[in-house]
Amino acid sequence: MPKSQTLIDQIHQANVKVHSFEAPYYELLHPEVYSIKEQKRITTKLKVIDCQILDNQRSALDVGAGTGNLTGKLLQIGYSVVATDISPEMCAILKKKFAGYLPDKLTVINSAVEDLSFSPGKFDLITFYSVLHHLPDYPSALRKVCGFLKKGGVMYIDHEASPSYWKSEPSGLASLVKGLYFHSNPAINSLYFQLIGLKVPTIDYTLSDYWHKKEHALSHQAILEVFKKEGFEFSKRTDYYQHGTWIPNPLFPFYSLLCQPEMSYWIAKK
């Protein structure tokens, strides 16, 4: 984990800057999050998790909520949600989108994860979607947030690169297909943006996506160790294939057949 307070501050500042810049068109820029298939997958997963929580009072904390990807789904299935995000622009969009739920069912907090403070065991469900790789010290942040989860509650962490993401494929053919698939996705999305007339700005994710890099990839072993140390009853990582384009990539069937899945989600029960 970054030891320098300067680097920690730089990562926080980069996230504020990047998400401020892309907030108005965040959902258009990220088909890997907002494609129909991914949205259905998340909705199905949340409904399954909902049934796993003991004595569920439907109180949820959505950490790094962005424009409300998970928040909206949780509200729809009956949860009272505290949604937090480091970006004031993201929080403003979330409030506008779900204004009908304010303030009785939805609370929005503009805060870094590290600065959150809630009573122990406050929430039945805590969610992180595409968040951990943005945090300077994600194991420490995760340990802190674990304290806000009640006994019998569930932690759901999704959309993080799997251990296979940066690894070589077991065969030359698989490596070739993976390379072609990964390089063709941006080209397909660029074509789509041209078709709809969207001029996509250049965004520097170097520091904001700190742990999404081969030289310092996010460690799923570190996540597992947090759950063990925090006394979770159960935790499991599942790897899956991601649809990363608005227009279907014709290479996806070959990629999913020959290559290892590139994304992971965790479900952990306290």
Side-chain angles (χ1 to χ4, degrees):
M1 299 301 109
K3 300 298 183 184
S4 163
Q5 185 60 46
T6 299
L7 178 56
I8 290 172
D9 292 341
Q10 287 175 340
I11 293 171
H12 276 143
Q13 290 164 11
N15 273 286
V16 172
K17 182 178 180 180
V18 163
H19 291 99
S20 168
F21 190 63
E22 70 174 4
Y25 29 75
Y26 177 81
E27 296 178 19
L28 274 174
L29 291 179
H30 293 281
E32 75 281 5
V33 175
Y34 285 97
S35 68
I36 292 173
K37 289 183 181 294
E38 177 65 0
Q39 289 293 294
K40 286 183 176 178
R41 186 190 69 82
I42 301 168
T43 299
T44 300
K45 196 59 55 187
L46 288 173
K47 289 179 180 178
V48 171
I49 291 170
D50 178 54
C51 297
Q52 297 176 332
I53 299 168
L54 294 179
D55 187 28
N56 194 352
Q57 303 301 304
R58 288 191 165 81
S59 173
L61 172 64
D62 188 13
V63 181
T67 59
N69 181 24
L70 267 63
T71 295
K73 295 172 179 58
L74 291 168
L75 290 167
Q76 288 172 4
I77 61 175
Y79 278 80
S80 295
V81 183
V82 175
T84 75
D85 200 275
I86 197 171
S87 165
E89 290 81 7
M90 290 287 201
C91 288
I93 292 172
L94 193 155
K95 285 181 180 179
K96 185 176 180 179
K97 283 176 65 177
F98 303 106
Y101 292 95
L102 293 166
D104 296 335
K105 300 288 286 185
L106 174 62
T107 302
V108 180
I109 300 175
N110 176 209
S111 172
V113 179
E114 297 84 354
D115 297 331
L116 295 175
S117 180
F118 299 103
S119 57
K122 177 178 176 62
F123 298 101
D124 298 283
L125 171 62
I126 298 178
T127 62
F128 290 81
Y129 184 95
S130 193
V131 176
L132 294 191
H133 60 273
H134 294 294
L135 305 180
D137 185 348
Y138 60 89
S140 293
L142 183 57
R143 278 195 299 272
K144 177 176 183 176
V145 174
C146 282
F148 307 147
L149 186 67
K150 77 172 191 181
K151 183 67 175 174
V154 170
M155 181 84 70
Y156 173 45
I157 301 170
D158 203 341
H159 199 77
E160 300 294 347
S162 78
S164 302
Y165 190 95
W166 303 109
K167 292 181 180 178
S168 299
E169 292 296 325
S171 73
L173 178 59
S175 294
L176 175 63
V177 170
K178 182 176 181 177
L180 289 172
Y181 177 73
F182 276 22
H183 284 91
S184 62
N185 277 345
I188 291 173
N189 284 327
S190 178
L191 173 61
Y192 174 79
F193 294 143
Q194 289 179 37
L195 290 173
I196 66 172
L198 175 66
K199 293 184 179 179
V200 181
T202 301
I203 301 174
D204 183 3
Y205 294 102
T206 303
L207 280 175
S208 67
D209 291 30
Y210 188 81
W211 299 106
H212 191 69
K213 293 178 180 63
K214 188 173 184 178
E215 62 269 26
H216 39 77
L218 183 139
S219 168
H220 286 278
Q221 184 60 38
I223 296 171
L224 177 61
E225 289 301 318
V226 170
F227 290 138
K228 286 181 177 179
K229 290 179 180 178
E230 295 300 315
F232 275 64
E233 177 185 301
F234 165 87
S235 63
K236 182 182 179 182
R237 188 195 83 238
T238 302
D239 301 333
Y240 65 94
Y241 298 94
Q242 174 180 267
H243 293 268
T245 56
W246 290 117
I247 302 171
N249 188 330
L251 289 174
F252 181 81
F254 303 99
Y255 169 70
S256 60
L257 178 65
L258 296 172
C259 304
Q260 302 172 80
E262 81 275 29
M263 299 303 290
S264 296
Y265 70 83
W266 282 88
I267 294 177
K269 188 172 183 179
K270 201 170 187 183

